[in-house]
Amino acid sequence: MPRIPASARSTTTRRVRRLPAVGPTAVIAVMAVVLGCQAPESAASLGVVPDGVTVFDDTVPGVANLDPDLLKALRQAATVGADDGVEFYVNSGWRSPEYQDQLLRRAVAEYGSKEEAAQWVATATTSPHVSGEAADIGRSAAAGWLSEHGAAYGLCQTYENEPWHYELRTEAATSGCPHMYADPTHDPRMQQ
């Protein structure tokens, strides 16, 4: 089979090789454009969490602004989970009211109505993400690990339709997690 000289190879091949170098700053920059922010820092300050951020990353506001007790429990669980080869990534944590409103508007556009969107996204006045009291844990291995072991740390899945969404319920360490709601529309806290 003839060998293709480097000068004749597609530039696409060269670009693909560079993609792994794209880091959290580039992801935040893209999110800034998507969200209509002026600068990448604006997206981060809204609570946008780039890919690859763990529960130990204090430089990302979406993690750093979580409720301190929730963050402590997540870090304790993540430390033990690491012994099982599981890493806890944060897909979403604390969110500004502005970011929560943007997410809700997008969900309404995607699902066709506020009622349908409410099964997935709360308002800025009711979302536990805005108060820093919820974290969406990434990678199915971590969510699965928390499903099995999270109660020991007070970490409970809140909604049946969101296996990634965890909140702190300190009583769970002794009495187990409370019954999950089918989705946020069944949660009395969302009825405000």
Side-chain angles (χ1 to χ4, degrees), residues 57-167:
D57 194 339
D58 287 328
T59 64
V60 176
V63 174
N65 292 339
L66 285 172
D67 173 81
D69 293 330
L70 172 61
L71 188 55
K72 180 180 176 183
L74 285 167
R75 288 176 173 173
Q76 289 172 340
T79 300
V80 175
D83 293 339
D84 293 334
V86 177
E87 193 162 9
F88 285 44
Y89 292 94
V90 178
N91 287 341
S92 189
W94 167 84
R95 299 173 188 156
S96 69
E98 297 81 11
Y99 182 37
Q100 188 68 32
D101 286 340
Q102 290 171 355
L103 292 174
L104 182 56
R105 283 193 299 274
R106 275 194 258 156
V108 169
E110 180 178 343
Y111 295 107
S113 72
K114 286 184 180 181
E115 294 75 25
E116 290 295 315
Q119 294 178 41
W120 301 99
V121 182
T123 67
T125 58
T126 60
S127 174
H129 284 282
V130 174
S131 60
E133 297 172 350
D136 293 346
I137 301 302
R139 314 276 165 89
S140 58
W145 192 95
L146 276 177
S147 177
E148 188 175 336
H149 306 286
Y153 305 92
L155 297 168
C156 296
Q157 180 184 339
T158 310
Y159 307 115
E160 290 175 6
N161 71 327
E162 295 185 10
W164 52 83
H165 181 98
Y166 280 84
E167 298 181 31

Side-chain angles (χ1 to χ4, degrees), residues 9-19:
R9 290 186 196 136
S10 161
T11 56
T12 304
T13 303
R14 287 186 212 136
R15 285 189 195 131
V16 170
R17 288 186 189 140
R18 293 183 190 147
L19 283 178

